[in-house]
Amino acid sequence: MTESSVFAAPWDQKITIITALVSLLLLGSTTFIVWLALDGARSAAIRAVLLSGAIVALAALAGGVLLAPRRYALQGDRLVVERAVCPVEIPIASIRAVEPLSPGSLSGSLRVLGSGGLFGYFGRFRNQALGDYRMYATRGDGYVVVRADRPYVLTPEAPDRFIETVNRVRRAHSGGGAL
């Protein structure tokens, strides 16, 4: 794999602020809840409820860290959204188009299952313009839509170079030219 086939997924200021504030809030409240459960809870039932809440908060934070997009890479016959766990692999042969997407195209989106700002915008979304789509974004501009078995919305660094590179790899895999 050449260096040009890996694209960073940089965070914008909004994601950085949301992630920092929510992480501090979750960690601070979890610390307080654990202290309260271990030091101030008068019954085992209350202690169990408090500790369960702390575990859920920490699981949400860990899930965000593990599932957030880190970078986008062309690896062999796949476009991969790299994450700490469960990378998303899109077969090059299934990609019908790769094109820029205006931020307005995402208006009215409903988050079906995913993150709306903690470590990025990722998961399952739906709106009238795209229908059901998957988003793996880390900023609020530079959107690219990859039209494959379903639309994928990404925010690679250097979106124009990303589109050009993916299209060149698509042509090479379909027998239409060399890399």
Side-chain angles (χ1 to χ4, degrees):
M1 177 172 57
T2 64
E3 186 176 322
S4 65
S5 61
V6 176
F7 296 84
W11 287 8
D12 65 8
Q13 185 177 24
K14 184 177 178 181
I15 294 292
T16 302
I17 291 170
I18 289 171
T19 299
L21 292 176
V22 172
S23 296
L24 285 172
L25 180 66
L26 284 173
L27 291 171
S29 62
T30 299
T31 302
F32 176 72
I33 289 170
V34 168
W35 171 79
L36 189 61
L38 298 178
D39 195 47
R42 295 182 184 206
S43 74
I46 291 174
R47 187 175 301 116
V49 168
L50 289 171
L51 290 174
S52 295
I55 289 169
V56 167
L58 289 176
L61 193 61
V65 168
L66 296 173
L67 295 173
R70 299 186 185 273
R71 67 189 139 273
Y72 314 98
L74 289 159
Q75 299 176 354
D77 64 347
R78 301 193 176 283
L79 169 60
V80 181
V81 178
E82 296 183 355
R83 310 189 299 178
V85 298
C86 303
V88 177
E89 297 185 356
I90 306 165
I92 295 293
S94 74
I95 297 174
R96 296 184 309 280
V98 183
E99 55 201 20
L101 185 67
S102 70
S105 299
L106 298 176
S107 66
S109 288
L110 171 68
R111 182 176 57 242
V112 177
L113 178 65
S115 173
L118 182 61
F119 299 102
Y121 304 101
F122 51 93
R124 297 173 185 216
F125 294 78
R126 175 181 302 144
N127 77 3
Q128 193 169 19
L130 294 172
D132 292 329
Y133 66 95
R134 304 290 162 83
M135 181 160 26
Y136 301 99
T138 55
R139 61 180 204 265
D141 65 351
Y143 293 111
V144 172
V145 63
V146 176
R147 298 187 188 275
D149 57 333
R150 67 177 53 89
Y152 293 87
V153 176
L154 314 175
T155 55
E157 188 172 52
D160 292 335
R161 187 169 59 86
F162 176 83
I163 292 168
E164 178 185 309
T165 303
V166 173
N167 282 327
R168 188 172 58 239
V169 170
R170 285 179 53 227
R171 284 190 303 273
H173 277 83
S174 67
L179 291 175

